[in-house]
Amino acid sequence: WSEGQVTEYLVATFGDYFTDVKMYVEERSFRRFVEACLEETVVVYVDHLLIQRNYIKEETIERMKLDEDVLMDFFREYISVSKVENRVRILSDLRELASAESLDAFTLIYSNILEHQPDCP
């Protein structure tokens, strides 16, 4: 994961899959399908991030940012930018939480997550 061999391969696989699926479903259903794929991807990503046993290091935070960018760039080709941003926001919030440099910053970011991401595990 830290070397970029998970998220990049995932979106490449999604790209191939979406090309096939798009031929067989109407556009509106396809967009909902893509949204569901993005949502599930983010849920699994957050779950794996939260259960890791290692400390979050600077390299982890950098990889998290790269993953956000990869997911944003890929999914906005299929659905609106605002929908992608709303789904991916939790990743940037968690990255900010992990890199908070004070207790006050941590508390503020954590409160923001609870307020804007009520379904976040």
Side-chain angles (χ1 to χ4, degrees):
W1 171 74
S2 63
E3 296 172 7
Q5 295 184 7
V6 174
T7 307
E8 285 81 352
Y9 286 110
L10 176 67
V11 296
T13 302
F14 272 144
D16 291 342
Y17 188 59
F18 290 170
T19 300
D20 294 341
V21 170
K22 193 171 186 171
M23 292 188 293
Y24 300 105
V25 298
E26 63 183 38
E27 184 65 27
R28 197 169 123 230
S29 297
F30 176 72
R31 284 194 310 271
R32 283 195 310 238
F33 172 71
V34 171
E35 286 177 44
C37 289
L38 174 57
E39 185 165 340
E40 186 63 21
T41 299
V42 170
V43 167
V44 170
Y45 189 101
V46 169
D47 285 347
H48 281 84
L49 186 64
L50 294 176
I51 62 171
Q52 70 156 335
R53 302 219 186 270
N54 298 325
Y55 292 103
I56 293 180
K57 303 172 188 162
E58 188 63 34
E59 299 83 35
T60 308
I61 294 169
E62 291 169 11
R63 182 71 244 168
M64 291 169 69
K65 175 63 176 142
L66 291 171
D67 287 348
E68 288 171 48
D69 294 342
V70 167
L71 293 171
M72 286 288 298
D73 290 344
F74 175 76
F75 279 98
R76 72 173 149 209
E77 296 291 322
Y78 298 96
I79 54 178
S80 72
V81 173
S82 62
K83 287 185 179 185
V84 177
E85 287 174 346
N86 286 337
R87 299 277 189 229
V88 175
R89 179 175 297 131
I90 186 60
L91 300 182
S92 63
D93 288 347
L94 286 173
R95 181 175 45 80
E96 288 179 19
L97 186 68
S99 60
E101 297 193 11
S102 70
L103 182 57
D104 289 339
F106 183 91
T107 304
L108 179 65
I109 296 164
Y110 188 73
S111 298
N112 186 44
I113 289 172
L114 293 177
E115 181 179 336
H116 294 102
Q117 306 288 336
D119 59 337
C120 180

